Amino acid sequence: MPADAISQGCKDIAWQMVNNIPNIEVMLGGGRKYMYPMGTPDIEYPTDPTANGSRQDGLDLVRMWKEKKSPSKVSRYVWNRTELLKINPNQVDHLLGLFEPIDMEYELRRRNSTDPSLSEMVKIALMILQKNPKGYLLFVEGGRIDHGHHDGKAHHALQEAVEMDKAVGLVGQMTSELDTMTLVTADHSHVFTLGGYPPRGNPIFGVDTEKSTIDGKPYTSLLYGNGPGYKVVNGKRENITGVNTGDPDYLAQAAVPLTLETHGGEDVAVFAKGPMAHLLHGVVEQNYIPHAMAYAACIGFNLSHCKRGGVRG
C-alpha cells in the first residue's frame, strides 16, 4: 500500500478479509504470497523469490484465519486442486483455498494438478454454502478476463469468458430460480471490438478475408483501440501475412501504442434471473445493483415483501 495509506492506519485487503469479515465461509482464488511474512518460501514454488511471502508486518494470515474459526466448526485450508477436489463439502464448514502466489493462471495455461478451474471452485463453494437453511451470497469473479484484455491477448480474454460462462451454467444447474437470484454483470468494458466483415465460419482469432484498401495489408478480426498490439515496422503498419494470429499469446492489433490496454466507457449488460429479477432491466446506475440484490435477499430496509415467505436466496 502507499506510505500515506499505511500512516493513516489503512489495512490491506488480505488482512481485512481475515480480520474484518471473519465469518466468510468460503474464499477461493490466488494471492497466496500476500498471506505470509516477507521472505516465506512458497509451498509450490520454493525456489522462486518472486513467489515468496510479501507481508511486511510479519503476520501469517493463514494461521490467523484458522485460529479465528470456532473449534465447533470444521475448517480446511488447501493450496492445490487435488486437495480441493478431495474436500467433502458435507463435512466442511469453512474453506480457504489459495492456489497461486499472485493471480490464478489463465485457463489456457492452467495446470490440472495444482490449479482448479473457476467452475470447480464454484461447485465446491456452492455445495458448502447450500447447507445453510437461511440462504447465502456467493460472489464469483472471472478476474482474468480483464487481465487478458489489458495484456492485449484476446485469445486468453475470450477463453476466460468461456470459463465464466461455464461457471454461470453450473450455478443454474445447482440452484433453483424459485429461491435463488443469479446476477451476472461487469464493472466496465474494454476498448475491444470485432472489426471488418469476416464471413461466417472465419476463425475468430484470424484475419478478415479482405485487406485494407489503404495499405493493402490484412488486419485481425479482433482489434483493440489501444494497447501493446500496436506495431510499426520500417515506419509502416506491420504486415501480418503469415503470422500465427491464433497463438494464445498473440497481441491483437491496436490503434494506439500503450503498455497496457485501457478500459472502455460504454454501458455494460446486467443479466438476472430468479426472485426479484424484474428489478434489473433497462438502464440503471451501478450503485443501484447492490440495493436490488439486498431487496431480493431480504437484507436491510424495506422488508415488508419478505413477510409473505418464499423470498430468500
Side-chain angles (χ1 to χ4, degrees), residues 13-203:
I13 293 175
W15 188 96
Q16 292 181 49
M17 293 183 73
V18 172
N19 292 280
N20 288 4
I21 39 179
N23 293 325
I24 296 179
E25 285 92 347
V26 182
M27 292 191 290
L28 304 173
R32 203 161 51 219
K33 67 181 296 180
Y34 308 117
M35 307 291 279
Y36 290 101
M38 178 75 73
T40 304
D42 184 71
I43 190 170
E44 185 176 1
Y45 311 101
T47 61
D48 181 0
T50 65
N52 288 352
S54 62
R55 298 199 63 81
Q56 298 182 24
D57 56 13
L59 296 177
D60 181 338
L61 293 185
V62 173
R63 179 180 58 80
M64 291 179 63
W65 177 84
K66 294 177 180 177
E67 292 175 347
K68 285 180 175 291
K69 299 307 175 188
S70 169
S72 63
K73 300 289 186 178
V74 178
S75 302
R76 292 285 183 269
Y77 166 68
V78 296
W79 67 268
N80 62 58
R81 178 175 182 263
T82 301
E83 291 181 347
L84 177 70
L85 298 185
K86 286 182 178 179
I87 289 289
N88 183 342
N90 294 322
Q91 298 176 358
V92 173
D93 301 301
H94 301 280
L95 176 62
L96 173 63
L98 302 172
F99 306 106
E100 283 292 328
I102 306 180
D103 299 313
M104 296 292 288
E105 287 283 1
Y106 284 120
E107 177 63 21
L108 289 174
R109 296 177 183 166
R110 183 171 62 85
R111 296 179 297 278
N112 281 333
S113 59
T114 55
D115 295 345
S117 68
L118 187 65
S119 299
E120 289 171 336
M121 290 188 283
V122 167
K123 181 177 181 179
I124 295 295
L126 276 178
M127 293 176 73
I128 293 175
L129 296 175
Q130 285 177 337
K131 295 185 296 182
N132 190 337
K134 296 182 179 180
Y136 56 88
L137 169 68
L138 174 62
F139 180 91
V140 179
E141 182 180 16
R144 302 234 66 186
I145 300 172
D146 176 70
H147 293 174
H149 283 311
H150 283 310
D151 288 345
K153 298 178 179 179
H155 202 148
H156 280 298
L158 294 187
Q159 190 60 49
E160 293 299 311
V162 169
E163 180 59 28
M164 182 68 181
D165 184 71
K166 291 180 181 177
V168 174
L170 178 65
V171 170
Q173 295 172 16
M174 295 182 65
T175 62
S176 169
E177 290 187 44
L178 297 178
D179 63 8
T180 304
M181 170 190 265
T182 303
L183 188 150
V184 182
T185 188
D187 53 343
H188 57 76
S189 66
H190 285 266
V191 289
F192 180 63
T193 188
L194 176 66
Y197 305 99
R200 184 179 297 276
N202 198 60

Side-chain angles (χ1 to χ4, degrees), residues 273-313:
K273 66 177 182 178
M276 301 291 169
H278 66 278
L279 298 175
L280 292 150
H281 62 86
V283 179
V284 300
E285 291 290 342
Q286 60 183 0
N287 56 13
Y288 167 80
I289 297 174
H291 291 288
M293 293 172 64
Y295 186 81
C298 295
I299 297 172
F301 304 101
N302 302 318
L303 303 181
S304 60
H305 65 291
C306 304
K307 298 177 181 178
R308 297 190 297 271
V311 181
R312 186 182 69 224

Side-chain angles (χ1 to χ4, degrees), residues 169-242:
L170 178 65
V171 170
Q173 295 172 16
M174 295 182 65
T175 62
S176 169
E177 290 187 44
L178 297 178
D179 63 8
T180 304
M181 170 190 265
T182 303
L183 188 150
V184 182
T185 188
D187 53 343
H188 57 76
S189 66
H190 285 266
V191 289
F192 180 63
T193 188
L194 176 66
Y197 305 99
R200 184 179 297 276
N202 198 60
I204 190 63
F205 299 113
V207 298
D208 197 345
T209 51
E210 296 188 14
K211 299 180 180 180
S212 167
T213 58
I214 303 299
D215 61 15
K217 298 175 183 178
Y219 56 90
T220 52
S221 298
L222 298 177
L223 301 160
Y224 286 102
N226 56 49
Y230 176 92
K231 191 173 183 180
V232 172
V233 179
N234 296 324
K236 297 181 180 180
R237 187 172 74 90
E238 178 189 18
N239 189 339
I240 58 173
T241 300

